[in-house]
Amino acid sequence: MKSFLKKSILILLFLPSINYVSGQVSPLSSYQDTAFWQEFHEAYPVHPSASAPNEVRSIAVDKNANVWIATAAGVFVKNANQSAWSPLPTEGPNGPAFSVAVDADNVAWVGTWEGVYRSRNQKLERLSGVEAPISALCPTQDGLVAIGPKGIWQFDGQRFVKKDWEIPRSVRHAMTDAKGNLWLASDVGLYNINKVEKTRILRNRNELLSAYIKGSASDTQQRIWAGGLGGVTILQDEKKIRTITPAEGLPTVYATCVKAAPDGTMWVGTEKGVVRYYPNGTHSLRFTRRWLLDDHVVDIDFDQNGNAWIATKKGVSVIKRQKMTLAQKNDYFHDVLLKRHIRAPWIAGQCRLEKAGDLTTWQPEDDDNDGEYTGNYLAMECFRYAVTKSPDAKDNARKAFGFLKLLQEVTDTEGFFARSIVPVDWKGVLHDKNRSFSPQELADELVKEPRFKPVEVRWRKSKDGKWLWKGDTSSDEMCGHMFGYYFYYELVADDAEKAVVRKHVARIMDYLIKHNYNFVDIDGKPTRWSVWSPDQLNRDPEWAPDKNQNSMELLGFLKLAHYMTNDDKYQSEYLRLIEKEHYLENMAQIVHQNPAWFIYFDVVLQAYIYPILLKCEKDPQRLAFYQKHMDEWFEKRKADQNPLINFIYCYSRNQKVELANSVDFLVDTPLDLIDWHIDHTQREDLKIVRTPVLEDQQVNILQPASLRMTVRWDKNPWTAAGGDPHREREPVFWQLPYWMGRYLDMIR
């Protein structure tokens, strides 16, 4: 899949610098924020109820922006600036309509089960002279042509006149080319009726991919694109010159329609979405509920502004576009963030939609990783403040840090902190409610995972009675906290606030040291995942999968504590783990991780720790180790095209690399943050593979942001299928790399 934005817009924006001495192209190191086309989707089901018939068969947009559709239930029109469809009654009983067309005089015509209708003042009048049903309509220079199983007729301005042209009875679509020739797509081939009314039939394999043709269109070079079973055949002077199949980007061999956009782009509808083929040779796909009411596309038309109106089996979708800069996109996302994704006391997280895809039904939702993702949000506001000096960015960062600090205070312990908190009168869905384990259940779990820890009480009431707090805090929460603390300390906190941060971080680290580097919950036992002790990592074989990763994490925690406090006890422990427990040697193996133990989430946790190690380490030898380690790690991660990882690397290594891929992601990310279900497994243009993560089903070609599940950086970007439309994700995944890019002066 080649992203249109990457290959066309960014070609214009990313004019590379040239080294005139060597004649080589230098990598892009800065990007000037320039307006691009931001696409978005609007849905117009014919009937609000999903149970009502919404099958649309044909669509046409007139010059006044009224949209006409033929459906299984009859004819409907949606007037400009209105969202509802109005049924247009016909003379006879209700029945199916098959085709709509708008002629040069802006008159709408409809082919139905009982004949042809013409619109007059938003009313339909039936015209005589044809034999119903009429399955296809086509405006021509000589008058409208109506076609059905019983023949073909042409309107002479007064009435329909039957023609004796040689045609099939299974005509699915009709169009004219620049010469005025009539092309009929049918189940038995492509028929071309020229100006002298002579018919040429194309159906042989050397002429078409198959004889089953559903639609055709003429491109800017007067070539005919014929779409049907097998894909698209491109004809020039009635000879096949090219084919488009899944090898060229079709998600299925079932092409259903073809339409030329005003800008010369060719849109190919399929049973698995719509593919756009651009004049510059690239293509892009739009599918899933993020972009279409249904993936089975049956017809396409365009309005005066170039918006694509797409008829599907479940209603009408319009793909619109507007000019937008990255700065404006950030403003949009920030508004969404504050409206739906910040909950008391200042937690940044996802929200739940009671009705799938319906933003009017949203409710706040707790999450295991509220602490980690608020740490990301804290870092984002820190970079925003460092760039803009905005008072509200500083205030938001202060409040986010306050929440993370409260997670420790609410437990009433010496240093343990909670995963998340909710008010005691929480009205939302509470995940992972308290439960008990029978001896049989416990035995079953322990056999499946010997490291399993039964946690029967996950939620406890705070001492002040205001909060319920969630225990069993994981290692990723610790990494996310420390990531946020580092940037708050470096970029935002004044001297008084730095003292608070130092004390808070020292309190957590003292607690870890006291418990031999395991994060001990209120039950006196380590949590399930927060284990950094050499007793487990170096001497318990069941912790081998986490040995390298957790060694790196603990070195980062200790290094941050020493950097902030200048207390030698943290440096002494740091050196002891390196010299006596070989934690640097453990860490060195991260880039050689056993494939059975590699999960994508660990990549992000590693990314959190690198800035701390590389910016806080002063010993030249160890610093050189960390730099080389990150370089090797980053080389393996370039294919992910992850802007957060890219900018963290640039920050940590004082480099300016991978900017084109990072900006491409920022440009291509949809405005729609609903986690629509996306399934690539049914696409014929991709392969399902088991790399880079052996355990996951993945695609062999990394998909652009517009075709992925809504991003959270702990999720594998190569994932083949997933999503939950009952959730809207917080936009911090986009805002954090954006503001990092701004801070690094890579995005200007």
Side-chain angles (χ1 to χ4, degrees), residues 240-283:
K240 180 171 68 173
I241 62 170
R242 182 188 165 198
T243 60
I244 297 176
T245 67
E248 291 76 36
L250 286 185
T252 173
V253 297
Y254 292 101
T256 55
C257 60
V258 186
K259 191 75 172 185
D263 64 359
T265 301
M266 300 299 290
W267 292 57
V268 180
T270 77
E271 293 186 5
K272 297 294 181 184
V274 62
V275 188
R276 291 87 60 87
Y277 290 88
Y278 304 101
N280 67 2
T282 62
H283 62 269

Side-chain angles (χ1 to χ4, degrees), residues 496-634:
E497 291 163 334
K498 284 186 175 183
V500 175
V501 179
R502 280 195 295 270
K503 184 177 179 181
H504 176 65
V505 171
R507 184 178 177 89
I508 294 170
M509 291 311 300
D510 289 347
Y511 188 77
L512 274 182
I513 292 172
K514 178 180 179 179
H515 294 283
N516 194 23
Y517 296 113
N518 289 333
F519 211 30
V520 171
D521 207 332
I522 200 169
D523 61 1
K525 299 176 183 178
T527 67
R528 184 178 184 184
W529 299 109
S530 293
V531 171
W532 296 281
S533 170
D535 290 342
Q536 277 77 38
L537 300 187
N538 285 345
R539 293 178 272 282
D540 183 344
E542 293 303 323
W543 280 94
D546 303 88
K547 176 179 180 178
N548 308 326
Q549 166 85 26
N550 288 22
S551 294
M552 176 186 181
E553 292 173 2
L554 184 54
L555 292 177
F557 305 157
L558 287 165
K559 178 52 63 179
L560 181 63
H562 179 251
Y563 174 76
M564 288 181 172
T565 66
N566 206 30
D567 188 331
D568 286 340
K569 71 178 176 182
Y570 302 117
Q571 181 72 358
S572 296
E573 284 297 299
Y574 172 78
L575 294 176
R576 181 181 70 83
L577 290 171
I578 291 173
E579 295 166 2
K580 299 284 183 66
E581 297 292 353
H582 312 292
Y583 269 38
L584 272 189
E585 295 171 35
N586 295 347
M587 177 181 168
Q589 295 304 309
I590 284 176
V591 293
H592 309 294
Q593 179 72 293
N594 189 298
W597 303 332
F598 177 74
I599 57 175
Y600 192 82
F601 185 49
D602 283 349
V603 171
V604 180
L605 301 186
Q606 292 152 14
Y608 292 158
I609 303 302
Y610 276 120
I612 298 170
L613 291 174
L614 272 73
K615 294 297 185 179
C616 300
E617 180 59 74
K618 304 305 178 186
D619 178 78
Q621 188 174 356
R622 287 191 295 271
L623 179 59
F625 169 85
Y626 293 140
Q627 290 171 338
K628 183 175 183 292
H629 191 279
M630 190 178 196
D631 289 346
E632 293 176 352
W633 170 86
F634 185 63

Side-chain angles (χ1 to χ4, degrees), residues 118-190:
R118 179 174 58 184
S119 67
R120 294 280 189 180
N121 300 319
Q122 297 284 307
K123 293 183 179 180
L124 295 179
E125 63 169 345
R126 184 177 174 185
L127 286 83
S128 60
V130 302
E131 294 181 63
I134 297 299
S135 57
L137 298 171
C138 182
T140 74
Q141 297 172 352
D142 301 319
L144 184 89
V145 171
I147 312 140
K150 298 180 181 180
I152 183 168
W153 296 263
Q154 191 165 49
F155 191 68
D156 64 5
Q158 301 295 325
R159 60 191 180 90
F160 280 100
V161 178
K162 189 168 186 177
K163 298 292 184 176
D164 61 358
W165 303 333
E166 181 183 1
I167 67 164
R169 287 179 289 173
S170 57
V171 174
R172 305 304 174 190
H173 179 264
M175 54 84 65
T176 57
D177 61 22
K179 298 177 181 178
N181 297 325
L182 183 65
W183 294 81
L184 307 180
S186 78
D187 293 356
V188 290
L190 184 66

Side-chain angles (χ1 to χ4, degrees), residues 189-468:
L190 184 66
Y191 282 60
N192 177 13
I193 304 172
N194 63 27
K195 294 295 287 184
V196 295
E197 302 183 0
K198 181 180 178 181
T199 300
R200 164 93 160 90
I201 305 171
L202 293 85
R203 64 163 67 106
N204 296 329
R205 293 190 65 181
N206 65 336
E207 298 170 321
L208 299 171
L209 279 168
S210 81
Y212 191 80
I213 305 299
K214 299 287 283 184
S216 63
S218 178
D219 66 16
T220 55
Q221 300 178 54
Q222 284 74 57
R223 300 174 303 186
I224 302 301
W225 292 46
L229 180 61
V232 177
T233 303
I234 300 178
L235 303 162
Q236 191 165 41
D237 298 326
E238 299 186 356
K239 294 182 180 179
K240 180 171 68 173
I241 62 170
R242 182 188 165 198
T243 60
I244 297 176
T245 67
E248 291 76 36
L250 286 185
T252 173
V253 297
Y254 292 101
T256 55
C257 60
V258 186
K259 191 75 172 185
D263 64 359
T265 301
M266 300 299 290
W267 292 57
V268 180
T270 77
E271 293 186 5
K272 297 294 181 184
V274 62
V275 188
R276 291 87 60 87
Y277 290 88
Y278 304 101
N280 67 2
T282 62
H283 62 269
S284 64
L285 171 68
R286 289 289 176 256
F287 83 132
T288 75
R289 182 57 183 79
R290 175 183 290 157
W291 295 108
L292 299 170
L293 274 170
D294 188 70
D295 284 342
H296 192 133
V297 173
V298 294
D299 197 13
I300 305 166
D301 202 11
F302 300 91
D303 62 25
Q304 299 282 332
N305 296 318
N307 298 314
W309 293 82
I310 302 172
T312 79
K313 290 287 187 179
K314 293 183 180 178
V316 174
S317 290
V318 56
I319 296 179
K320 293 186 174 182
R321 60 182 189 168
Q322 66 186 63
K323 283 284 189 178
M324 181 175 276
T325 63
L326 293 180
Q328 291 169 330
K329 195 167 185 174
N330 171 75
D331 291 344
Y332 172 84
F333 280 146
H334 203 69
D335 182 62
V336 172
L337 174 73
L338 296 179
K339 280 182 178 177
R340 293 194 290 271
H341 296 281
I342 299 292
R343 73 173 200 268
W346 201 259
I347 304 172
Q350 62 196 15
C351 65
R352 180 169 181 79
L353 309 180
E354 296 300 317
K355 182 179 178 182
D358 186 349
L359 292 173
T360 67
T361 65
W362 76 274
Q363 297 290 334
E365 183 176 42
D366 75 273
D367 184 85
D368 264 4
N369 300 108
D370 279 339
E372 178 198 348
Y373 281 101
T374 302
N376 276 219
Y377 167 74
L378 170 59
M380 181 273 287
E381 292 287 21
C382 292
F383 283 108
R384 185 164 78 94
Y385 175 72
V387 172
T388 66
K389 301 304 178 185
S390 168
D392 75 293
K394 182 171 186 176
D395 187 53
N396 290 347
R398 180 185 55 78
K399 288 185 284 190
F401 171 75
F403 157 67
L404 296 177
K405 184 169 177 285
L406 178 61
L407 287 179
Q408 194 285 305
E409 296 167 344
V410 78
T411 66
D412 197 32
T413 64
E414 294 178 346
F416 182 73
F417 62 81
R419 280 183 178 269
S420 184
I421 56 175
V422 299
V424 290
D425 58 351
W426 179 253
K427 297 297 192 295
V429 176
L430 193 65
H431 294 289
D432 297 326
K433 294 181 179 178
N434 298 341
R435 59 156 299 179
S436 60
F437 291 87
S438 69
Q440 295 90 336
E441 290 173 328
L442 182 57
D444 204 37
E445 294 292 343
L446 286 173
V447 168
K448 285 189 289 185
E449 186 197 334
R451 284 168 32 177
F452 174 74
K453 178 184 178 181
V455 181
E456 297 187 325
V457 181
R458 289 192 178 269
W459 293 93
R460 293 179 169 87
K461 187 180 290 189
S462 62
K463 192 173 183 179
D464 61 11
K466 294 180 180 180
W467 306 100
L468 297 176

